[in-house]
Amino acid sequence: MSQNEYTAIAAQVKEFRELTAKIDQLTKERDALKFQMIATLNDHELEEFTGENFIIRYKSYERTTFDSKGFAESHPKLFKSFTKVSRYMRFTVN
């Protein structure tokens, strides 16, 4: 790798880290607003609030999931016959 390429990628890593920090800060601010809205709904015992151009909902939902770990422990041969390997690429910057 040439010095110019190294310098370019180092600059990209720096910008990537700066943007990640901004995103993290904005996420914290967004979550704070979310919890304020949830608190307001809870204070008024509301699951839904409709405004002029928005609807806020905070409801309890239920879903059924499959316990694959438990199934694998109970029926290892059957579990193995229905599993498959997936390959993927992962990008990280540390």
Side-chain angles (χ1 to χ4, degrees):
M1 177 179 288
S2 72
Q3 183 62 38
N4 286 344
E5 290 171 320
Y6 177 85
T7 301
I9 203 160
Q12 290 169 344
V13 167
K14 181 180 182 226
E15 183 179 2
F16 185 88
R17 287 179 173 163
E18 290 169 354
L19 289 172
T20 299
K22 287 179 185 177
I23 290 168
D24 291 345
Q25 180 59 38
L26 289 171
T27 299
K28 288 177 185 177
E29 292 176 26
R30 182 200 62 196
D31 289 346
L33 287 171
K34 173 184 168 182
F35 293 126
Q36 288 173 8
M37 289 185 281
I38 289 171
T40 301
L41 289 174
N42 285 336
D43 289 346
H44 296 281
E45 298 179 0
L46 296 171
E47 288 187 340
E48 184 174 295
F49 179 78
T50 304
E52 188 175 313
N53 59 356
F54 63 88
I55 299 173
I56 301 170
R57 290 184 185 93
Y58 187 59
K59 292 182 171 187
S60 175
Y61 293 94
E62 190 175 295
R63 72 177 180 181
T64 303
T65 59
F66 183 74
D67 180 7
S68 61
K69 183 178 178 183
F71 185 78
E73 291 172 359
S74 299
H75 308 283
K77 289 181 183 177
L78 187 57
F79 179 78
K80 187 174 182 175
S81 70
F82 283 93
T83 58
K84 63 181 180 178
V85 175
S86 299
R87 298 200 185 277
Y88 60 93
M89 301 292 290
R90 177 180 284 183
F91 177 77
T92 60
V93 177
N94 295 324

